[in-house]
């Protein structure tokens, strides 16, 4: 009642003023109405005390007093509640008339049935006021929330659309109006459920949904109006969001909440708040706020920052960042070129990568290592969007200072498939091979999300990958080679280049990871080194000064160099609306240190591997600065201790820098290397010593313990046509370069298994030399041989070794390599019975039996037959290849594509591989400690090598396009050697021919032995020991195993086994009998049904 009385009094003042206006037109002509002033002053003691006003018009909107307002206008009045809104707004105008009785009141058309957009209303208002250049105007812009459905899954997109409409209207008003103060207020009623189907559900929490919607809309508008472009200190235009929504509550069927109270709320938030009060809060207190001597102005963000803004203005010194840039405006029109892109033009951010982008452990408390599992995506340096720039420094929070409507960033703690993650599709543990999958998901999300205009919105996508690749490079140096890793990155970037318009991609150069070792060498820091040894073994395990550590550094630099070469190729600058820019700020990292010189753990999460929020802050600043630095002159060192201040776009260079706007010339592809003169390999192994004493177990053989090499097989082992340049040379057997037994020259010029072994034992015997059989050594392979001829080869080999005076047959350790089956498979369709997999298995067993029974101290390498289907792709435009290749292998190469004959050959190919493993690992050859058979499976899944044009590379093949060339033999030798150093069950099952000299693996201190089935798995010490997982690292066999078992135990086990066998057999026959009866019954039923 008291509030109504006060408003009535104000209305009376306004009515008197209006009445005087109506009857005293002659007075108006002569100046301000004395009667009006007298009336206003008569009632002021009951309302607000008069404050002497300056004689001149205020120079700035931020020094605007209530009595300076000449007119009140309103936009956005909701159609459904125009009458109620009109009453509220008119009362605000009446309150203003206390200070300027001449203020013109807003007109609200309560009868027009046609809805209009905010932009249309703003257009009409700006036209009607175009002649009023000097009068100060107040515009109340209402943002109705009731048009949105609070429980809809699309509510976020709806809010974003409303905010964009408000922004467009404000931009038009700012462009066309002068001397204008705009106050924006959210308007809402409590009857949204009438318009929204899901709100009619009785089980839904309507109030919670409605409150959440209003909070979301209020926060989004707050972001929008926090942009400095709306409140420059020298402007005569500003816009401000009122701190609380105007909520119209329905009291009864035809009665709504008191319009006077809502008017006082709007009025209170129009004025500068008194000290300690920032917004209208308590509607039970009857008071009308008045301007004071200390705070006489109408509120703007400059003269009255809210408490939240004041708190936000205090920058967190560690995690927050002060934004120094004053010009944050976007381009006048949406740019069409990526080379003319300002920060304010960016609408969407996205990211792919690993745990550093997923932000594992960023917000974890010290020493709570379990929290490293948490993914604090809202704090992620390149994609997080928690809080604001003053508290959380991330690239999106920096960009939001330029465009408050930025979208795509992640929030909170979540996984990549959570809605909160949004376009942060990084996955903890990801490697380069995962980038294609992440990019595909990212593109699909951007296309499907209604908040994103996929074809028109400008996007910044950040890719940071490679850390997990280099952490595992020592487990497979070929798969994780720089070339292969960057090739997989290239495949992901190619997808973005082909499918995503209007995008700039930041490719972050891999950080220099080696300095992180310092955290684990200083034990006083208490870092969980054991944990990081599991996560990143290849970085921590090498000793200081070792060749292994040198290799780590070389791989790290190779990754960085390969990334630079990829971008410098210019392949991603073929479109005007897309580019990829390499950001190199992590190339050289200087570890932050304490005053005493120790590494500073505060930059790292509790595992001393992932980075803390403190480090993410610096990375975000460094990335932003890199984006504004010209290509070719970017900062490439990162000193975490040195402070990093944000750079700003300048008038001369307002754009995000690309190669084109940096006048950078791509160097193009690297120069063509000199022609290859040999197929040698580089050797970097340091553990080359033999065992301290001659070992007695085949499972404890170091490479240097091998004294004799030998080989069995067909033309591929005989070196058939390996050096042939024409048809006449094809029949020459170049046994000296044969992959498994050749010994020509040395490893630097010819890569063969014996030449590798010579690095460990220069006195090794048995290798073949030159051409033909004159100096064949223990290379007894015969061109054209089939598996049926291998027992004969074994007999000759055993006889030759026994007769050779340089071989100590009983004591020398021997390495025998068997590769056979190609001719069996190629001729299979001509004699299926003789060349069946079963006969293949029998001949293989006969051959191995001879070696097992007669040859002491031997390891036998058996290669599975290669997957021949890939040879169908090897073609040359010459007579030798086109004619000879089908004749050499007719059953496989003459069969038509997709024919039954070809399908049969593929099946037989696989069956021969399976038979090889069954024979070798069936337990038949496990009875001797000094004998082992090991399957080397690198040909199991044969990969056709490709050239730079991604076409089959025929340089690996001889002139007939079937047999291998010397280059192919070199690659086979390296693949065989690498297989020998890989545990059974973890051996590489495909060839990876890459024509590099540095693809020779090395024995390690932990695994110095040639791997066999026995030493590939740890020996359990107790019956309850958990068996190793397939990914566990193999350990050498321990020597404390008993050589024999008691005779009585063997007898007991035999009897028990016999009894168990009888019981199992009886149960099997019973089961089969029952099943047979059941089948007969079902057959009878089925017959009856069919007859019916």
């Amino acid at each position: 009642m008291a509030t109504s009385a006060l408003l009535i009094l104000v209305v009376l003042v306004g009515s008197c003023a209006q009445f005087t206006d109506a009857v005293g037109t002659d007075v108006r002509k002569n100046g301000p109405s004395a009667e009006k002033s007298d009336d206003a002053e008569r009632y002021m003691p009951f309302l607000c005390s008069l404050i002497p006003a300056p004689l001149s018009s205020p120079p700035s909107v931020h020094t605007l007093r209530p009595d300076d307002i000449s007119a009140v206008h309103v936009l956005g009045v909701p159609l459904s509640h125009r009458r109620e809104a009109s009453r509220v707004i008119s009362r605000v105008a009446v309150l203003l008339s206390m200070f300027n009785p001449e203020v013109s009141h807003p007109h609200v058309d309560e009868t027009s049935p046609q809805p209009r957009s905010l932009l249309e209303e703003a257009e009409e208002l700006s036209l009607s006021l175009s002649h009023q250049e000097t009068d100060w105007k107040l515009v109340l812009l209402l943002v109705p929330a009731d048009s949105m459905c609070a429980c809809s899954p699309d509510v976020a997109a709806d809010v974003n659309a409303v905010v964009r409409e408000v922004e467009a209207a404000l931009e038009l008003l700012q462009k066309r109006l002068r001397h204008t103060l705009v106050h924006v207020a959210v308007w809402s009623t409590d009857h949204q459920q009438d318009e929204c189907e899901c709100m009619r559900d009785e089980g839904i929490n309507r109030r919670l949904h409605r409150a959440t919607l209003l909070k979301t809309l209020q926060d989004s508008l707050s972001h929008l109006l926090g942009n400095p472009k709306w409140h420059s200190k020298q402007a005569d235009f500003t816009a401000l969001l009122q701190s609380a929504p105007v909520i119209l509550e329905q009291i009864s069927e035809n009665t709504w909440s008191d319009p006077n109270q809502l008017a006082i709320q709007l009025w209170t938030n129009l004025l500068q708040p008194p000290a300690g009060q920032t917004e209208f809060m308590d509607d039970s207190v009857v008071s009308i706020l008045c301007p004071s001597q200390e705070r006489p102005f109408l509120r703007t963000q400059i003269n009255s920052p809210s408490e939240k803004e004041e708190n936000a203005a205090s920058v967190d010194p560690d995690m927050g960042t002060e934004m120094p840039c004053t010009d944050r405006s976007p381009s006048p029109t949406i740019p069409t070129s990526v080379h003319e892109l300002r920060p304010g033009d960016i609408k969407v951010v996205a990211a792919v990568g690993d745990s550093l982008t997923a932000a594992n452990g960023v917000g974890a408390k010290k020493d709570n290592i379990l929290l490293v599992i948490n993914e604090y995506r809202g704090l992620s340096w390149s994609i997080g969007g928690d809080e604001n720039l003053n508290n959380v420094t991330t690239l999106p929070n920096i960009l939001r200072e330029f465009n408050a409507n930025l979208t795509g960033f992640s929030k909170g703690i979540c996984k990549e498939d959570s809605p909160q993650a949004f376009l942060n599709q990084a996955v903890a543990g990801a490697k380069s091979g995962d980038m294609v999958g992440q990019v595909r998901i990212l593109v699909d999300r951007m296309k499907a999300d209604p908040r994103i205009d996929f074809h028109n919105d400008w996007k910044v996508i950040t890719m940071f990958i490679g850390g997990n690749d280099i952490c595992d490079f020592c487990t497979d140096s070929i798969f994780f080679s720089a070339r292969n890793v960057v090739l997989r990155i290239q495949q992901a970037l190619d997808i973005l280049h082909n499918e995503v318009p209007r995008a700039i991609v930041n490719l972050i150069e891999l950080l220099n990871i080696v300095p992180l070792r310092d955290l684990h060498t200083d034990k006083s820091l208490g870092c969980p080194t054991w944990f990081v040894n599991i996560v990143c073994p290849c970085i921590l395990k090498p000793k200081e000064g070792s060749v292994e550590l040198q290799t780590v550094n070389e791989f790290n630099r190779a990754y960085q160099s390969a990334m630079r070469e990829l971008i410098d190729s210019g392949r991603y600058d073929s479109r005007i609306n897309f580019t990829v820019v390499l950001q190199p700020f992590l190339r050289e990292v200087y570890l932050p240190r304490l005053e005493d010189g120790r590494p500073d753990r505060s930059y790292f999460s509790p595992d001393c591997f992932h980075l803390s929020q403190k480090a993410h802050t610096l990375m975000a600043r460094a990335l932003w600065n890199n984006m504004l630095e010209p290509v070719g002159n970017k900062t490439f060192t990162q000193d975490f201790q040195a402070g990093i201040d944000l750079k700003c776009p300048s008038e001369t260079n307002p754009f995000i820098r690309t190669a084109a706007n940096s006048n950078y010339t791509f160097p193009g592809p690297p120069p063509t290397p000199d022609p290859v003169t040999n197929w040698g390999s580089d050797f970097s192994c340091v553990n080359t010593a033999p065992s301290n004493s001659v070992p007695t177990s085949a499972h404890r053989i170091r490479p240097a313990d091998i004294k004799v090499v030998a080989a069995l097989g067909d033309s591929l082992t005989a070196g058939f046509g390996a050096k042939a340049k024409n048809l006449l040379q094809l029949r020459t057997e170049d046994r000296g370069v044969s992959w498994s037994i050749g010994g020509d020259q040395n490893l630097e010029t010819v890569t063969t298994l014996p030449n590798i072994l010579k690095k460990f034992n220069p006195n090794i015997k048995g290798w073949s030399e030159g051409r033909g059989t004159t100096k064949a050594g223990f290379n007894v392979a015969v061109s054209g041989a089939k598996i049926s001829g291998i027992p004969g080869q074994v007999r000759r080999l055993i006889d030759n070794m026994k007769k050779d005076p340089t071989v100590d047959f009983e004591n020398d350790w021997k390495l025998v390599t068997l590769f056979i089956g190609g001719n069996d498979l190629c001729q299979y369709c001509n004699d299926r019975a003789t060349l069946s997999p079963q006969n293949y298995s029998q001949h293989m067993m006969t051959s191995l039996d001879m070696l097992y029974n007669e040859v002491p101290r031997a390891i036998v390498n058996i290669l599975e037959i290669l997957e021949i289907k890939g040879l169908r792709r090897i073609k040359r435009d010459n007579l030798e290849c086109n004619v000879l290749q089908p004749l050499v292998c007719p059953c496989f190469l003459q069969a038509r594509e997709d024919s039954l004959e070809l399908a049969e050959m593929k099946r037989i190919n696989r069956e021969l591989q399976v038979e090889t493993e069954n024979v070798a690992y069936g337990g038949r050859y496990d009875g001797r400690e000094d004998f082992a058979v090991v399957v080397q499976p690198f040909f199991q899944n044969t990969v056709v090598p490709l050239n730079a044009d991604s076409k089959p590379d025929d340089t690996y093949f001889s002139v007939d396009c079937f047999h291998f060339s010397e280059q192919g033999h070199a690659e086979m030798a390296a693949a065989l050697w690498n297989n020998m150093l890989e545990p059974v069950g973890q051996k590489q099952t495909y060839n990876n021919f890459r024509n590099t000299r540095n693809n020779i693996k090395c024995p390690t201190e932990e695994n110095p032995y040639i791997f066999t089935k026995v030493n590939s798995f740890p020996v359990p010490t107790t019956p309850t020991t958990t068996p190793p997982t397939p990914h566990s690292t193999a350990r050498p066999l321990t020597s404390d195993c008993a050589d024999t078992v008691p005779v009585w135990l063997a007898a007991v086990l035999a009897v028990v086994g016999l009894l168990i066998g009888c019981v199992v057999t009886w149960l099997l026959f019973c089961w089969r009998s029952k099943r047979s009866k059941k089948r007969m019954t079902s057959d009878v039923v089925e017959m009856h049904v069919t007859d019916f």
Side-chain angles (χ1 to χ4, degrees), residues 563-775:
M563 289 182 179
R564 292 197 294 273
E565 289 178 7
L566 172 62
I567 305 307
D568 278 347
S569 68
R571 68 184 288 129
Y572 301 115
D573 276 68
S574 60
R575 292 187 2 228
I576 196 171
N577 68 348
F578 184 95
T579 192
V580 180
V581 181
L582 186 75
Q583 310 297 2
F585 65 93
L586 290 175
R587 184 182 302 168
E588 295 295 337
V589 176
Y590 298 98
L591 201 66
R593 297 187 179 273
L594 302 169
E595 292 182 358
D596 58 9
R598 295 184 305 150
D600 188 346
R601 273 195 69 177
S602 67
Y603 289 89
F604 297 87
S605 65
D607 62 359
C608 292
F609 181 74
H610 292 92
L611 302 177
S612 68
Q613 188 181 353
K614 195 172 179 181
H616 275 247
T617 296
L618 297 178
M619 289 174 67
R621 295 175 187 168
L623 171 58
W624 167 258
N625 288 349
N626 254 184
M627 291 171 63
L628 297 182
E629 294 169 339
V631 175
N633 195 26
K634 291 182 180 288
T635 302
F636 58 85
T637 59
Q638 181 63 63
D639 185 352
F640 280 112
Q641 276 181 298
I644 302 176
D645 295 325
L646 292 187
K647 295 185 177 182
C648 293
S650 63
E651 289 186 11
T652 55
N653 292 302
F655 307 126
I656 296 173
R657 304 310 293 270
T658 66
N661 64 32
S662 301
N663 296 320
Y664 180 77
T665 302
F666 290 118
T672 304
D674 296 331
V676 177
T677 58
N678 62 70
W679 301 109
S681 296
D682 297 330
F683 185 79
S684 59
C685 304
V686 291
N687 297 316
T688 59
S691 302
N692 293 330
S693 60
V694 178
T696 58
S697 171
H699 314 298
R700 298 178 67 85
I701 298 299
R702 299 171 186 260
D705 295 327
I706 300 295
K707 299 295 180 63
V708 179
V709 289
L712 310 158
D714 54 23
S715 54
L716 289 179
T717 301
F720 186 92
K723 289 186 172 183
K725 303 299 181 186
N726 54 55
L727 191 59
L728 293 177
Q729 298 174 352
L730 182 63
R731 295 179 60 84
T732 303
E733 293 180 343
D734 295 297
R735 292 179 182 256
V737 298
S738 173
W739 58 289
S740 63
I741 191 63
D744 278 359
Q745 301 180 35
N746 52 50
L747 181 60
E748 283 68 32
T749 56
V750 178
T751 303
T752 65
L753 180 61
N755 280 352
I756 296 172
L757 287 168
K758 287 178 188 178
K759 293 293 184 179
F760 296 85
N761 177 14
N763 299 318
I764 197 167
K765 308 175 187 70
W767 41 270
S768 52
E769 185 178 359
R771 294 179 173 177
T773 59
T774 306
K775 297 181 179 181

Side-chain angles (χ1 to χ4, degrees), residues 466 469-486 510-514 538-539 547-563 684 996 998-1001:
D469 295 81
I470 200 166
C471 281
D472 280 350
F473 87 93
C474 61
T475 63
D476 191 335
S477 57
I478 297 173
F479 183 80
F480 293 114
S481 67
R483 177 177 177 179
N484 286 340
V485 167
V486 172
L510 180 65
L511 81 160
N512 179 16
I513 198 170
V514 175
C538 300
I539 303 303
V547 175
E548 286 86 353
L549 183 57
Q550 180 183 345
T551 304
V552 172
N553 282 300
E554 290 172 355
F555 262 74
N556 209 149
R557 288 193 295 270
Y559 278 26
Q560 294 173 336
S561 177
M563 289 182 179
S684 59
T996 57
N998 60 345
N999 58 351
I1000 302 295
K1001 288 188 175 183

Side-chain angles (χ1 to χ4, degrees), residues 837-838 840 906-916 918:
Q838 292 73 27
Y840 179 92
K906 290 179 180 179
R907 177 177 59 81
I908 297 300
N909 197 158
R910 182 59 188 144
E911 285 187 18
L912 293 181
Q913 293 177 336
V914 171
E915 289 294 338
T916 301
N918 291 341

Side-chain angles (χ1 to χ4, degrees), residues 279-343:
E279 60 179 80
F280 181 83
M281 294 295 294
D282 191 353
D283 58 5
S284 64
V285 177
V286 180
S287 76
I288 296 179
L289 184 65
C290 295
S292 66
Q293 195 74 37
E294 296 77 20
R295 294 174 179 258
F297 307 125
L298 295 175
R299 186 189 305 208
T300 70
Q301 191 162 345
I302 295 298
N303 65 32
S304 307
S306 67
E307 183 178 355
K308 180 179 178 181
E309 291 158 357
E310 288 174 342
N311 291 339
S314 59
V315 179
D316 186 316
D318 290 326
M319 312 307 177
T321 300
E322 184 175 352
M323 170 54 69
C325 309
T326 54
D327 184 5
R328 308 181 201 176
S329 56
S331 301
T333 58
I334 297 176
T336 57
S337 170
V338 71
H339 312 298
E340 298 175 354
L341 196 62
R342 300 172 186 256

Side-chain angles (χ1 to χ4, degrees), residues 72 74 84-94 106 140 142 266:
V72 179
V74 62
E84 291 79 11
S86 175
R87 294 173 65 196
V88 172
I89 300 302
S90 65
R91 280 159 172 73
V92 173
V94 168
L140 293 174
L142 303 183
L266 285 171

